[in-house]
Structure formats: structure tokens, C-alpha cells
Amino acid sequence: SEPSVKRLFASGRFTIERLVQICNLLGYTVAELSREALSESHRLSTLTERQERELISDHKLLLIAVCALNHWAPDEIVALYKLSMPECIKYLLKLDKLHIINLLPGNRIRINVARDFDWLPFGPIRQYFKQKGIGEFLHSDFIDSDESMTFLHGMFTDHALVQIQDELRKLRLKFAELHEASLSAPMNKRHGHGFLLAMRSWEPVEFAKLRR
């Protein structure tokens, strides 16, 4: 547990032998763990337009990319979707070639994108979502216990707007943190949720028509 790890560090009893034991439990070598730590600072915050275009060129590739970025293992992907293991590995190797992931020995997946990763503002993925995804996402009454939809409107000073944007960034980071914290739970205890955050200067068209 996290408290146990903190106690080990605080006591100064976290030995190399203990580190090797933990690495073995996780299926890592110490060398792989070291490379993982070094790579953390070089992870991608966005993809290139070519990478995004490659992803949307094949819906199976996009599916496996989304699963991989959500920390699914190959056997979990194959268990839920109509894909064979060789087919899944073929697509994972393609993602490896695109530098989105690294496919490690034992078909383990290391993600090469940062926790605050985002799609390109005007890129192929966002265009794909606008055309095919956003309508499906909003096609709900949002009344179930695990659903929520709120629309607010307000008028802000520039200073207040900066504060709101800062709070939205914090909320997005919290979303990512809770997602990572949930990864230790079994797959059947985790459920995919979409989270749409949008904010812009806006006035309904019918209101704007009445302006002097």
C-alpha cells in the first residue's frame, strides 16, 4: 500500500534487494524500471498530425490505441473485443512504430504520452470526434447515477476568467490522477466514462440577432 511504501522510505530501510523483489513482482527488471523513470520526463504531450491521421485511418488501430492509453493489457483487449491475439499484437507493434507506446517483452505496454496529454487543437482526432463522437456522447438524458451534465453561463472579468481556467486545469489533472489510482482495481470493477470540458465566449444566435 502507499502508506507502507512511505514508511519504508521514511525509515531508510528501502534496500536494493527490496527494490529487486518489487520489480520481480511487477514483471520488471531494475534496468527497465530505470529506463521507465528516465523516459517519464520525455513523454509526449501531443502527437503529430501524421500520427493522429494514422490512428483514424483504421478503426481497429484507434480502438487499440485508446485501450493502450487507458492501460489495458493485450489479453484484456482480446477478451472484450473481436480481435485475435496476433491481430492485437500487430496493431500494438504499429503503435510502437508510431512511438505512441513501447511494446516490451512479455507483451507489456509502456505508454509514451504524458499524463496531461491532449489531442491537437485542430488535428484529425478532434475533427473525428466532432464528426462521429460528440453526437453519440450527447445522445443521453444524463439521468443515471453515474451521469452528469451541467451547463452554466456567466459574465467574467479577465482576472476571474484566468481563475476559472486554472480551476479547469486542476480538475482535468484530478481526473487523470483518479484514473491512474483506479488502475489497480480488477477490470470488471472499472467502467469507461467520457468527460467533456468546454468553455468559450458565447452568446446564443437568437440573442445576438437582437443586439443593437
Side-chain angles (χ1 to χ4, degrees), residues 34-94:
S34 177
R35 285 196 297 271
E36 181 80 11
L38 288 172
S39 69
E40 184 70 29
S41 60
H42 302 294
R43 292 190 171 180
L44 303 172
S45 57
T46 59
L47 301 181
T48 65
E49 183 170 343
R50 184 188 71 83
Q51 287 171 314
E52 288 198 2
R53 200 167 296 284
E54 189 80 22
L55 287 178
I56 64 169
S57 68
D58 186 329
H59 66 277
K60 288 185 179 179
L61 179 63
L62 181 59
L63 165 68
I64 291 180
V66 170
C67 290
L69 293 178
N70 279 285
H71 301 270
W72 289 38
D75 58 341
E76 292 172 327
I77 297 173
V78 171
L80 187 62
Y81 294 106
K82 295 177 181 177
L83 296 163
S84 66
M85 183 57 76
E87 192 176 16
C88 181
I89 298 302
K90 179 188 76 172
Y91 284 115
L92 288 171
L93 285 170
K94 194 166 186 178

Side-chain angles (χ1 to χ4, degrees), residues 189-203:
K189 297 294 185 183
R190 290 180 278 146
H191 310 283
H193 283 76
F195 183 52
L196 178 64
L197 269 178
M199 184 175 180
R200 71 180 182 94
S201 177
W202 177 77
E203 181 181 31

Side-chain angles (χ1 to χ4, degrees), residues 16-196:
I16 293 295
E17 289 75 16
R18 192 63 175 270
L19 180 61
V20 170
Q21 288 177 331
I22 292 174
C23 285
N24 290 338
L25 179 67
L26 297 173
Y28 276 86
T29 66
V30 175
E32 286 175 335
L33 186 66
S34 177
R35 285 196 297 271
E36 181 80 11
L38 288 172
S39 69
E40 184 70 29
S41 60
H42 302 294
R43 292 190 171 180
L44 303 172
S45 57
T46 59
L47 301 181
T48 65
E49 183 170 343
R50 184 188 71 83
Q51 287 171 314
E52 288 198 2
R53 200 167 296 284
E54 189 80 22
L55 287 178
I56 64 169
S57 68
D58 186 329
H59 66 277
K60 288 185 179 179
L61 179 63
L62 181 59
L63 165 68
I64 291 180
V66 170
C67 290
L69 293 178
N70 279 285
H71 301 270
W72 289 38
D75 58 341
E76 292 172 327
I77 297 173
V78 171
L80 187 62
Y81 294 106
K82 295 177 181 177
L83 296 163
S84 66
M85 183 57 76
E87 192 176 16
C88 181
I89 298 302
K90 179 188 76 172
Y91 284 115
L92 288 171
L93 285 170
K94 194 166 186 178
L95 293 175
D96 184 294
K97 189 176 180 181
L98 288 169
H99 307 296
I100 296 171
I101 67 164
N102 287 129
L103 190 60
L104 304 174
N107 293 332
R108 289 179 290 112
I109 299 169
R110 182 176 70 194
I111 299 172
N112 287 335
V113 300
R115 188 169 62 179
D116 59 349
F117 168 81
D118 199 3
W119 306 112
L120 291 171
F122 304 101
I125 295 288
R126 291 225 182 167
Q127 292 303 313
Y128 179 89
F129 178 69
K130 284 175 66 177
Q131 293 168 10
K132 298 187 177 182
I134 196 166
E136 293 179 16
F137 181 78
L138 294 175
H139 188 66
S140 170
D141 293 324
F142 293 92
I143 58 175
D144 290 343
S145 60
D146 64 343
E147 296 181 326
S148 176
M149 184 178 184
T150 302
F151 180 79
L152 304 172
H153 188 271
M155 301 184 72
F156 299 102
T157 64
D158 289 345
H159 177 68
L161 185 59
V162 168
Q163 289 181 293
I164 287 289
Q165 295 286 10
D166 185 52
E167 291 300 320
L168 291 177
R169 281 190 290 270
K170 290 177 183 176
L171 180 58
R172 183 178 165 182
L173 184 59
K174 187 65 177 179
F175 185 90
E177 288 175 353
L178 291 173
H179 165 69
E180 289 190 7
S182 298
L183 294 175
S184 59
M187 179 62 77
N188 62 358
K189 297 294 185 183
R190 290 180 278 146
H191 310 283
H193 283 76
F195 183 52
L196 178 64

